[in-house]
Amino acid sequence: MRLCLSIVFLVILFPQCSPRIWAEQKDSFARLRERMVQEQIVGRGVKDGDVLRAMRKVPRHLFVPQKQRAFAYGDYPLSIGEGQTISQPFIVAFMTEAMSLSPNDKVLEIGTGSGYQAAVLGELVKEVYTIEIIEKLGLEARERLEKLGYTNIHCKIGDGFQGWSEKAPFDAIIVTCAPETIPKALVGQLKQGGHMIIPVGRAGAVQKLVKATKKDGAIVSKEVMRVRFVPMVKDLD
């Protein structure tokens, strides 16, 4: 059903193209997606079959600006406007796998961006709650996800440092922007035994990608990779 909706979405975006061109574009993007998964993701050690299926399915090119679509499946982040980026495919897959998700999980994402990471999560878990502080990006992502048929993804414009207390606790939390320390509110909203994957460090510097697990009310964390993410922005109003 979501695939059909994706095709409809393409037609809305490019009404001047013929059905034959749609089919050719669809096949071309599918081949690029498969190559992305094999070379960038499987080739670097991501093994979770459900994660790989989600990465093969979600049309990444629909989550980047039109002028960037030819580069959507490349091994690098891309600008999505407003000073923000969509992470490279490997990072999306790696962080998703690191949360050890189950189908009935409820996941909180901080930093919706274009909605791509949320869509990948939406293929894997029961409910996704995603927060974006930049209103323009958040509204665009909500519209995009609705058009693609993701009824299990819930978007909010707000301060990620505060999380989404009304929907807590969460089985897992993923943060796609970097605070200098792990926000206390997010720790409080994570279930016992739940996992958080989050980049931590100063803006402009190399940061630590941390996997944190909640045990007896406290966080036990370990560094899993060095990364560079855009800084996590706090609402000062």
Coordinates of all heavy atoms in Angstrom, one line a residue, residues 70-167:
A70 N 19.3 13.1 -7.5 CA 20.3 12.3 -8.2 C 21.4 11.8 -7.3 O 22.0 10.8 -7.6 CB 20.9 13.1 -9.4
F71 N 21.5 12.4 -6.1 CA 22.5 12.1 -5.2 C 22.0 11.4 -3.9 O 22.7 11.1 -3.0 CB 23.3 13.3 -4.7 CG 23.8 14.2 -5.9 CD1 23.1 15.4 -6.2 CD2 24.8 13.8 -6.7 CE1 23.5 16.2 -7.2 CE2 25.2 14.6 -7.7 CZ 24.6 15.8 -8.0
A72 N 20.7 11.1 -3.9 CA 20.0 10.6 -2.7 C 20.6 9.3 -2.2 O 20.5 9.1 -1.0 CB 18.5 10.4 -3.0
Y73 N 21.1 8.5 -3.0 CA 21.6 7.2 -2.6 C 23.1 7.1 -2.5 O 23.7 6.0 -2.4 CB 21.1 6.1 -3.5 CG 19.5 6.0 -3.4 CD1 18.7 6.6 -4.4 CD2 18.9 5.4 -2.3 CE1 17.4 6.6 -4.3 CE2 17.5 5.4 -2.2 CZ 16.8 6.0 -3.2 OH 15.4 6.0 -3.1
G74 N 23.8 8.3 -2.5 CA 25.2 8.3 -2.3 C 25.6 8.2 -0.9 O 24.9 8.3 0.1
D75 N 26.9 7.9 -0.7 CA 27.5 7.6 0.6 C 27.9 8.9 1.3 O 29.1 9.1 1.7 CB 28.7 6.6 0.4 CG 29.2 6.1 1.7 OD1 28.5 6.2 2.8 OD2 30.4 5.7 1.7
Y76 N 27.0 9.8 1.6 CA 27.3 11.0 2.2 C 26.0 11.7 2.7 O 24.9 11.4 2.2 CB 28.0 12.0 1.3 CG 27.6 11.9 -0.2 CD1 26.3 12.3 -0.6 CD2 28.4 11.2 -1.1 CE1 25.9 12.2 -1.9 CE2 28.0 11.1 -2.4 CZ 26.8 11.6 -2.8 OH 26.4 11.4 -4.1
P77 N 26.1 12.6 3.7 CA 24.9 13.4 4.1 C 24.6 14.4 3.0 O 25.4 14.8 2.2 CB 25.3 14.0 5.4 CG 26.8 14.1 5.3 CD 27.3 12.9 4.5
L78 N 23.3 14.9 3.0 CA 22.9 15.9 2.0 C 22.2 17.0 2.8 O 21.5 16.8 3.8 CB 22.0 15.3 1.0 CG 22.6 14.3 0.0 CD1 21.4 13.6 -0.8 CD2 23.5 15.0 -0.9
S79 N 22.3 18.2 2.2 CA 21.5 19.3 2.8 C 20.0 19.2 2.5 O 19.6 18.8 1.4 CB 22.1 20.6 2.2 OG 21.2 21.7 2.6
I80 N 19.2 19.5 3.5 CA 17.8 19.5 3.4 C 17.2 20.9 3.6 O 16.0 21.1 3.7 CB 17.1 18.5 4.3 CG1 17.4 18.7 5.7 CG2 17.4 17.1 3.8 CD1 16.6 17.9 6.7
G81 N 18.1 21.9 3.7 CA 17.7 23.3 4.0 C 17.7 23.6 5.4 O 17.8 22.8 6.3
E82 N 17.6 24.9 5.7 CA 17.5 25.4 7.1 C 18.8 25.0 7.9 O 18.7 24.9 9.1 CB 16.3 24.9 7.8 CG 15.0 25.2 7.1 CD 14.7 26.6 6.9 OE1 14.9 27.4 7.9 OE2 14.2 27.0 5.8
G83 N 19.9 24.8 7.2 CA 21.1 24.5 7.9 C 21.2 23.1 8.4 O 22.1 22.7 9.2
Q84 N 20.3 22.2 8.0 CA 20.2 20.8 8.4 C 20.5 19.8 7.3 O 20.5 20.2 6.2 CB 18.8 20.5 9.0 CG 18.3 21.5 10.0 CD 19.2 21.5 11.3 OE1 19.3 20.4 11.9 NE2 19.7 22.6 11.6
T85 N 20.8 18.6 7.7 CA 21.2 17.6 6.8 C 20.4 16.3 7.0 O 19.9 16.1 8.1 CB 22.7 17.3 6.9 OG1 23.0 16.8 8.2 CG2 23.5 18.5 6.6
I86 N 20.4 15.4 6.0 CA 19.9 14.1 6.1 C 21.2 13.2 6.2 O 22.1 13.4 5.4 CB 19.0 13.6 4.9 CG1 18.6 12.2 5.1 CG2 19.8 13.8 3.6 CD1 17.6 11.8 4.0
S87 N 21.3 12.4 7.2 CA 22.5 11.6 7.5 C 22.7 10.6 6.3 O 21.8 10.2 5.6 CB 22.3 10.8 8.8 OG 22.2 11.6 9.9
Q88 N 24.0 10.2 6.2 CA 24.4 9.2 5.2 C 23.6 7.9 5.5 O 23.4 7.6 6.6 CB 25.9 9.1 5.1 CG 26.5 8.3 6.2 CD 28.0 8.3 6.2 OE1 28.7 9.1 6.9 NE2 28.6 7.4 5.3
P89 N 23.3 7.1 4.5 CA 22.5 5.9 4.7 C 23.1 5.0 5.7 O 22.4 4.4 6.5 CB 22.5 5.3 3.3 CG 22.6 6.4 2.3 CD 23.5 7.4 3.0
F90 N 24.4 4.8 5.7 CA 25.0 3.9 6.7 C 24.7 4.3 8.1 O 24.4 3.4 9.0 CB 26.5 3.8 6.5 CG 27.2 3.1 7.6 CD1 27.1 1.7 7.8 CD2 28.0 3.8 8.5 CE1 27.7 1.1 8.9 CE2 28.7 3.2 9.5 CZ 28.5 1.8 9.7
I91 N 24.8 5.6 8.4 CA 24.6 6.1 9.8 C 23.2 5.8 10.2 O 22.9 5.4 11.3 CB 24.9 7.6 9.9 CG1 26.5 7.8 9.8 CG2 24.4 8.1 11.2 CD1 27.3 7.2 10.9
V92 N 22.2 6.0 9.2 CA 20.8 5.8 9.5 C 20.6 4.3 9.9 O 20.0 3.9 10.9 CB 19.9 6.1 8.3 CG1 18.5 5.7 8.6 CG2 20.0 7.7 8.1
A93 N 21.2 3.4 9.1 CA 21.0 2.0 9.3 C 21.7 1.5 10.6 O 21.2 0.7 11.4 CB 21.6 1.2 8.1
F94 N 22.9 2.0 10.8 CA 23.7 1.7 12.0 C 23.0 2.1 13.3 O 22.9 1.3 14.2 CB 25.1 2.3 11.9 CG 26.0 2.0 13.1 CD1 26.8 0.9 13.1 CD2 26.0 2.8 14.2 CE1 27.6 0.5 14.2 CE2 26.8 2.5 15.3 CZ 27.6 1.4 15.3
M95 N 22.5 3.3 13.3 CA 21.8 3.8 14.5 C 20.5 3.0 14.8 O 20.2 2.7 15.9 CB 21.6 5.3 14.4 CG 22.9 6.1 14.5 SD 22.6 7.9 14.2 CE 21.8 8.3 15.8
T96 N 19.8 2.7 13.7 CA 18.6 1.9 13.8 C 18.9 0.6 14.4 O 18.2 0.1 15.3 CB 17.9 1.9 12.4 OG1 17.7 3.2 11.9 CG2 16.6 1.1 12.6
E97 N 19.9 -0.1 13.8 CA 20.2 -1.5 14.3 C 20.6 -1.4 15.8 O 20.3 -2.3 16.5 CB 21.3 -2.0 13.4 CG 21.7 -3.5 13.8 CD 22.8 -4.0 13.0 OE1 23.9 -3.4 12.9 OE2 22.6 -5.1 12.3
A98 N 21.3 -0.4 16.2 CA 21.9 -0.3 17.5 C 20.8 -0.3 18.6 O 21.1 -0.6 19.8 CB 22.8 0.9 17.6
M99 N 19.6 0.1 18.2 CA 18.5 0.2 19.2 C 17.9 -1.1 19.5 O 17.1 -1.2 20.5 CB 17.4 1.2 18.8 CG 17.9 2.7 18.8 SD 16.5 3.8 18.4 CE 16.4 3.6 16.7
S100 N 18.2 -2.2 18.8 CA 17.7 -3.5 19.0 C 16.1 -3.5 19.1 O 15.6 -3.9 20.1 CB 18.3 -4.1 20.3 OG 19.7 -4.1 20.2
L101 N 15.5 -3.0 18.1 CA 14.0 -2.8 18.1 C 13.2 -4.1 18.0 O 13.7 -5.1 17.4 CB 13.7 -1.8 17.0 CG 14.3 -0.4 17.1 CD1 14.1 0.3 15.8 CD2 13.9 0.3 18.3
S102 N 12.0 -4.0 18.5 CA 11.0 -5.1 18.3 C 9.7 -4.5 17.7 O 9.5 -3.3 17.8 CB 10.7 -5.7 19.7 OG 11.8 -6.3 20.3
P103 N 8.9 -5.3 17.0 CA 7.8 -4.8 16.3 C 6.8 -4.0 17.1 O 6.1 -3.1 16.6 CB 7.1 -6.0 15.7 CG 8.3 -7.0 15.6 CD 9.2 -6.7 16.7
N104 N 6.6 -4.3 18.4 CA 5.6 -3.6 19.2 C 6.2 -2.4 20.0 O 5.5 -1.8 20.8 CB 5.0 -4.6 20.2 CG 4.1 -5.6 19.6 OD1 3.4 -5.2 18.7 ND2 4.1 -6.8 20.0
D105 N 7.4 -2.0 19.6 CA 8.1 -0.9 20.3 C 7.4 0.4 20.0 O 6.9 0.6 18.9 CB 9.6 -0.9 20.0 CG 10.4 -1.9 20.8 OD1 9.8 -2.5 21.7 OD2 11.6 -2.0 20.4
K106 N 7.6 1.4 21.0 CA 7.3 2.8 20.8 C 8.6 3.5 20.9 O 9.3 3.5 21.9 CB 6.3 3.2 21.9 CG 5.9 4.7 21.8 CD 4.7 5.0 22.7 CE 5.1 4.8 24.2 NZ 4.0 5.3 25.1
V107 N 8.9 4.3 19.8 CA 10.2 4.9 19.7 C 10.0 6.5 19.6 O 9.1 7.0 18.9 CB 10.9 4.4 18.4 CG1 12.3 5.2 18.3 CG2 11.2 2.9 18.5
L108 N 10.9 7.2 20.3 CA 11.0 8.6 20.2 C 12.2 9.0 19.4 O 13.3 8.5 19.6 CB 11.1 9.2 21.6 CG 11.4 10.7 21.7 CD1 10.1 11.5 21.2 CD2 11.7 11.2 23.1
E109 N 12.0 9.9 18.4 CA 13.1 10.4 17.6 C 13.2 11.9 17.9 O 12.2 12.6 17.8 CB 12.9 10.2 16.1 CG 14.0 10.8 15.3 CD 13.7 10.9 13.8 OE1 12.5 11.0 13.5 OE2 14.6 11.0 13.0
I110 N 14.4 12.4 18.1 CA 14.7 13.8 18.3 C 15.4 14.3 17.1 O 16.5 13.8 16.8 CB 15.5 14.1 19.6 CG1 14.8 13.5 20.8 CG2 15.7 15.6 19.7 CD1 13.5 14.1 21.1
G111 N 14.8 15.2 16.3 CA 15.4 15.7 15.1 C 14.8 15.1 13.8 O 15.4 14.3 13.2
T112 N 13.5 15.5 13.6 CA 12.8 14.8 12.4 C 13.5 15.1 11.1 O 13.6 14.2 10.2 CB 11.4 15.4 12.3 OG1 10.8 15.3 13.6 CG2 10.5 14.6 11.3
G113 N 14.0 16.3 10.9 CA 14.6 16.7 9.6 C 13.6 16.5 8.5 O 12.5 17.1 8.5
S114 N 14.0 15.8 7.5 CA 13.1 15.5 6.3 C 12.1 14.4 6.6 O 11.2 14.2 5.8 CB 13.9 15.2 5.1 OG 14.6 13.9 5.2
G115 N 12.3 13.6 7.7 CA 11.4 12.5 8.0 C 11.9 11.2 7.6 O 11.3 10.2 7.8
Y116 N 13.1 11.1 7.0 CA 13.6 9.8 6.5 C 13.9 8.8 7.6 O 13.4 7.6 7.5 CB 14.9 10.0 5.7 CG 15.5 8.8 5.2 CD1 14.9 8.0 4.2 CD2 16.8 8.3 5.6 CE1 15.5 6.9 3.7 CE2 17.3 7.1 5.1 CZ 16.7 6.4 4.2 OH 17.2 5.3 3.7
Q117 N 14.6 9.2 8.6 CA 14.8 8.3 9.7 C 13.5 7.8 10.4 O 13.3 6.6 10.7 CB 15.7 8.9 10.8 CG 15.9 8.1 12.1 CD 16.8 6.9 11.8 OE1 18.0 7.0 11.8 NE2 16.2 5.7 11.7
A118 N 12.6 8.7 10.5 CA 11.2 8.3 11.0 C 10.6 7.3 10.2 O 9.9 6.4 10.6 CB 10.4 9.6 11.2
A119 N 10.7 7.4 8.8 CA 10.1 6.5 7.9 C 10.7 5.1 8.0 O 10.0 4.1 8.0 CB 10.2 7.0 6.5
V120 N 12.0 5.1 8.2 CA 12.7 3.8 8.4 C 12.2 3.1 9.7 O 11.8 1.9 9.7 CB 14.2 4.0 8.4 CG1 14.9 2.7 8.9 CG2 14.7 4.4 7.1
L121 N 12.1 3.9 10.7 CA 11.6 3.4 12.0 C 10.1 3.0 11.8 O 9.7 1.9 12.4 CB 11.7 4.5 13.1 CG 13.1 4.9 13.5 CD1 13.0 6.1 14.4 CD2 13.8 3.7 14.2
G122 N 9.3 3.7 11.1 CA 7.9 3.4 10.9 C 7.7 2.0 10.2 O 6.6 1.4 10.3
E123 N 8.7 1.5 9.5 CA 8.6 0.2 8.9 C 8.9 -0.9 9.9 O 8.7 -2.1 9.6 CB 9.6 0.1 7.7 CG 9.4 1.0 6.6 CD 8.2 0.7 5.7 OE1 7.7 -0.5 5.9 OE2 7.7 1.5 5.0
L124 N 9.5 -0.5 11.1 CA 10.0 -1.5 12.0 C 9.2 -1.6 13.3 O 9.3 -2.7 13.9 CB 11.4 -1.2 12.3 CG 12.4 -1.2 11.1 CD1 13.8 -0.6 11.6 CD2 12.6 -2.6 10.7
V125 N 8.6 -0.6 13.7 CA 8.0 -0.6 15.1 C 6.5 -0.1 15.0 O 6.0 0.3 14.0 CB 8.7 0.4 16.0 CG1 10.2 -0.1 16.1 CG2 8.7 1.8 15.6
K126 N 5.8 -0.3 16.1 CA 4.4 0.0 16.2 C 4.1 1.5 16.1 O 3.2 1.9 15.4 CB 3.8 -0.6 17.5 CG 2.3 -0.4 17.6 CD 1.8 -1.1 18.9 CE 0.3 -1.1 18.9 NZ -0.2 -1.8 20.2
E127 N 4.8 2.3 16.9 CA 4.6 3.8 16.9 C 5.9 4.5 17.0 O 6.8 4.1 17.7 CB 3.8 4.1 18.2 CG 2.4 3.5 18.3 CD 1.4 3.9 17.2 OE1 1.6 5.0 16.6 OE2 0.4 3.2 17.0
V128 N 6.0 5.6 16.2 CA 7.1 6.5 16.2 C 6.6 7.9 16.6 O 5.7 8.4 16.0 CB 7.8 6.6 14.8 CG1 9.0 7.5 14.8 CG2 8.2 5.2 14.4
Y129 N 7.3 8.5 17.5 CA 7.0 9.9 17.9 C 8.2 10.7 17.6 O 9.3 10.4 18.1 CB 6.6 10.0 19.4 CG 5.3 9.3 19.7 CD1 5.2 8.0 19.9 CD2 4.1 10.1 19.6 CE1 4.0 7.3 20.2 CE2 2.9 9.4 19.9 CZ 2.9 8.1 20.1 OH 1.6 7.5 20.3
T130 N 8.1 11.7 16.7 CA 9.3 12.5 16.3 C 9.1 14.0 16.5 O 8.0 14.5 16.2 CB 9.6 12.1 14.8 OG1 10.8 12.8 14.4 CG2 8.5 12.4 13.9
I131 N 10.2 14.6 16.9 CA 10.1 16.0 17.3 C 11.1 16.8 16.4 O 12.3 16.4 16.3 CB 10.5 16.2 18.8 CG1 9.5 15.5 19.7 CG2 10.4 17.7 19.2 CD1 9.8 15.5 21.1
E132 N 10.7 17.9 15.9 CA 11.6 18.8 15.1 C 11.4 20.3 15.6 O 10.2 20.7 15.7 CB 11.2 18.7 13.6 CG 11.9 19.7 12.7 CD 13.4 19.6 12.8 OE1 14.0 18.5 12.6 OE2 14.1 20.7 13.2
I133 N 12.5 20.9 15.9 CA 12.4 22.3 16.5 C 12.2 23.3 15.4 O 11.6 24.4 15.6 CB 13.6 22.6 17.3 CG1 13.3 23.9 18.2 CG2 14.8 22.8 16.5 CD1 14.3 24.1 19.3
I134 N 12.6 23.0 14.1 CA 12.5 24.0 13.0 C 11.1 23.8 12.4 O 10.9 22.7 11.7 CB 13.6 23.8 12.0 CG1 14.9 24.1 12.7 CG2 13.4 24.8 10.8 CD1 16.2 23.8 11.8
E135 N 10.2 24.7 12.5 CA 8.8 24.5 12.1 C 8.7 24.1 10.6 O 7.9 23.2 10.3 CB 8.0 25.8 12.4 CG 6.5 25.6 12.1 CD 5.7 26.8 12.6 OE1 6.3 27.9 12.8 OE2 4.5 26.7 12.7
K136 N 9.4 24.8 9.8 CA 9.3 24.6 8.3 C 9.6 23.1 8.0 O 8.8 22.4 7.3 CB 10.2 25.5 7.6 CG 10.1 25.4 6.0 CD 11.0 26.4 5.4 CE 10.8 26.4 3.8 NZ 11.3 25.1 3.3
L137 N 10.7 22.6 8.5 CA 11.1 21.3 8.3 C 10.1 20.3 8.9 O 9.7 19.3 8.3 CB 12.5 21.0 8.9 CG 13.7 21.6 8.2 CD1 15.0 21.2 8.9 CD2 13.7 21.3 6.7
G138 N 9.6 20.6 10.1 CA 8.7 19.7 10.8 C 7.4 19.6 10.0 O 6.8 18.5 9.9
L139 N 6.8 20.7 9.5 CA 5.6 20.7 8.8 C 5.7 19.9 7.5 O 4.8 19.2 7.0 CB 5.1 22.1 8.6 CG 4.7 22.8 9.9 CD1 4.3 24.3 9.5 CD2 3.5 22.1 10.6
E140 N 6.9 20.2 6.8 CA 7.1 19.5 5.5 C 7.2 18.0 5.7 O 6.7 17.2 4.9 CB 8.4 20.1 4.8 CG 8.2 21.5 4.3 CD 9.5 22.1 3.8 OE1 10.6 21.5 4.0 OE2 9.4 23.1 3.1
A141 N 7.9 17.6 6.8 CA 8.1 16.2 7.0 C 6.8 15.5 7.4 O 6.5 14.4 6.9 CB 9.1 16.0 8.2
R142 N 5.9 16.2 8.2 CA 4.6 15.6 8.5 C 3.8 15.4 7.2 O 3.2 14.3 7.0 CB 3.9 16.6 9.4 CG 2.5 16.1 9.8 CD 1.8 17.2 10.6 NE 2.4 17.2 11.9 CZ 2.3 18.3 12.8 NH1 1.6 19.4 12.4 NH2 2.8 18.3 14.0
E143 N 3.8 16.4 6.3 CA 3.0 16.2 5.1 C 3.6 15.1 4.2 O 2.8 14.3 3.7 CB 3.1 17.6 4.3 CG 2.3 17.5 3.0 CD 2.3 18.8 2.3 OE1 3.1 19.7 2.7 OE2 1.6 19.0 1.3
R144 N 4.9 15.0 4.1 CA 5.6 14.0 3.3 C 5.2 12.6 3.9 O 4.9 11.7 3.1 CB 7.1 14.2 3.4 CG 7.9 13.3 2.5 CD 9.4 13.7 2.6 NE 9.6 15.0 2.0 CZ 10.0 16.1 2.7 NH1 10.3 16.0 4.0 NH2 10.2 17.2 2.1
L145 N 5.3 12.4 5.2 CA 5.0 11.1 5.8 C 3.6 10.7 5.6 O 3.2 9.6 5.4 CB 5.5 11.1 7.2 CG 7.0 11.2 7.5 CD1 7.3 11.6 8.9 CD2 7.7 9.9 7.1
E146 N 2.7 11.7 5.7 CA 1.3 11.4 5.6 C 1.0 11.0 4.1 O 0.2 10.0 3.9 CB 0.4 12.7 5.9 CG 0.4 12.9 7.4 CD -0.4 14.2 7.8 OE1 -0.7 15.0 6.8 OE2 -0.6 14.5 9.0
K147 N 1.6 11.7 3.2 CA 1.4 11.3 1.8 C 1.9 9.9 1.4 O 1.4 9.2 0.6 CB 2.0 12.3 0.8 CG 1.3 13.6 0.8 CD 1.9 14.6 -0.2 CE 1.1 15.9 -0.3 NZ 1.8 16.9 -1.2
L148 N 2.9 9.5 2.2 CA 3.5 8.2 1.9 C 2.8 7.1 2.7 O 3.1 5.9 2.6 CB 5.0 8.2 2.3 CG 5.9 8.9 1.3 CD1 7.3 9.1 1.8 CD2 5.9 8.2 -0.1
G149 N 1.8 7.5 3.5 CA 0.9 6.5 4.2 C 1.4 6.0 5.5 O 0.9 5.0 6.0
Y150 N 2.2 6.8 6.2 CA 2.7 6.4 7.5 C 1.8 6.9 8.6 O 2.0 7.9 9.2 CB 4.2 6.9 7.7 CG 5.2 6.2 6.9 CD1 5.7 6.7 5.7 CD2 5.7 4.9 7.3 CE1 6.6 6.0 5.0 CE2 6.6 4.2 6.6 CZ 7.1 4.8 5.4 OH 8.0 4.1 4.7
T151 N 0.8 6.1 8.9 CA -0.2 6.4 10.0 C 0.4 6.2 11.4 O -0.2 6.6 12.3 CB -1.5 5.6 9.8 OG1 -1.2 4.2 9.8 CG2 -2.1 6.0 8.4
N152 N 1.5 5.5 11.5 CA 2.1 5.2 12.8 C 3.2 6.1 13.2 O 3.9 5.9 14.2 CB 2.6 3.7 12.9 CG 3.7 3.5 11.9 OD1 3.8 4.2 10.9 ND2 4.6 2.5 12.2
I153 N 3.4 7.2 12.4 CA 4.4 8.2 12.8 C 3.7 9.5 13.2 O 2.8 10.0 12.4 CB 5.3 8.5 11.6 CG1 6.0 7.2 11.2 CG2 6.3 9.5 11.9 CD1 6.9 7.3 10.0
H154 N 4.0 10.0 14.3 CA 3.4 11.2 14.9 C 4.4 12.3 15.0 O 5.5 12.1 15.7 CB 2.8 10.9 16.3 CG 2.0 9.6 16.2 ND1 0.7 9.5 15.7 CD2 2.4 8.3 16.6 CE1 0.3 8.2 15.8 NE2 1.3 7.5 16.3
C155 N 4.2 13.5 14.4 CA 5.2 14.6 14.4 C 4.8 15.7 15.3 O 3.6 16.0 15.4 CB 5.3 15.1 12.9 SG 5.8 13.9 11.7
K156 N 5.8 16.3 15.9 CA 5.5 17.4 16.8 C 6.6 18.5 16.5 O 7.8 18.2 16.3 CB 5.6 16.9 18.2 CG 5.5 18.0 19.3 CD 5.6 17.4 20.7 CE 5.6 18.5 21.8 NZ 5.7 17.8 23.1
I157 N 6.2 19.8 16.5 CA 7.1 20.9 16.5 C 7.4 21.2 17.9 O 6.5 21.6 18.7 CB 6.5 22.1 15.7 CG1 5.9 21.7 14.4 CG2 7.6 23.2 15.6 CD1 6.9 21.1 13.4
G158 N 8.7 21.2 18.3 CA 9.0 21.5 19.7 C 10.5 21.3 20.0 O 11.3 21.0 19.2
D159 N 10.8 21.5 21.3 CA 12.1 21.4 21.8 C 12.5 20.0 22.2 O 11.9 19.4 23.1 CB 12.2 22.3 23.1 CG 13.6 22.4 23.6 OD1 14.5 21.6 23.2 OD2 13.9 23.3 24.5
G160 N 13.4 19.4 21.4 CA 13.8 18.0 21.7 C 14.4 17.8 23.0 O 14.4 16.6 23.6
F161 N 15.0 18.8 23.7 CA 15.6 18.6 25.0 C 14.5 18.2 26.0 O 14.8 17.6 27.0 CB 16.2 19.9 25.4 CG 17.6 20.2 24.9 CD1 17.8 20.9 23.7 CD2 18.7 19.7 25.5 CE1 19.1 21.1 23.2 CE2 20.0 19.9 25.0 CZ 20.2 20.6 23.8
Q162 N 13.3 18.6 25.7 CA 12.2 18.3 26.6 C 11.5 16.9 26.3 O 10.7 16.4 27.1 CB 11.1 19.4 26.6 CG 11.6 20.8 26.9 CD 12.3 20.9 28.2 OE1 11.8 20.3 29.2 NE2 13.5 21.5 28.2
G163 N 11.8 16.4 25.2 CA 11.2 15.1 24.8 C 9.7 15.2 24.6 O 9.2 16.3 24.2
W164 N 9.0 14.1 24.8 CA 7.5 14.1 24.6 C 6.9 13.4 25.8 O 6.5 12.2 25.7 CB 7.2 13.4 23.3 CG 5.9 13.7 22.7 CD1 4.7 14.0 23.4 CD2 5.5 13.7 21.3 NE1 3.7 14.3 22.5 CE2 4.2 14.1 21.2 CE3 6.2 13.5 20.1 CZ2 3.5 14.2 20.0 CZ3 5.6 13.6 18.9 CH2 4.2 13.9 18.9
S165 N 6.8 14.1 26.9 CA 6.5 13.4 28.2 C 5.1 12.8 28.2 O 4.9 11.7 28.8 CB 6.6 14.4 29.3 OG 5.7 15.5 29.1
E166 N 4.2 13.4 27.4 CA 2.8 12.8 27.4 C 2.7 11.4 26.8 O 1.8 10.7 27.0 CB 1.9 13.8 26.5 CG 1.8 15.2 27.1 CD 2.8 16.1 26.5 OE1 3.9 15.6 26.0 OE2 2.6 17.3 26.4
K167 N 3.7 11.1 26.0 CA 3.7 9.8 25.3 C 4.7 8.8 25.9 O 4.9 7.7 25.4 CB 4.0 9.9 23.8 CG 3.0 10.9 23.1 CD 1.6 10.3 23.1 CE 0.6 11.2 22.4 NZ -0.7 10.7 22.4

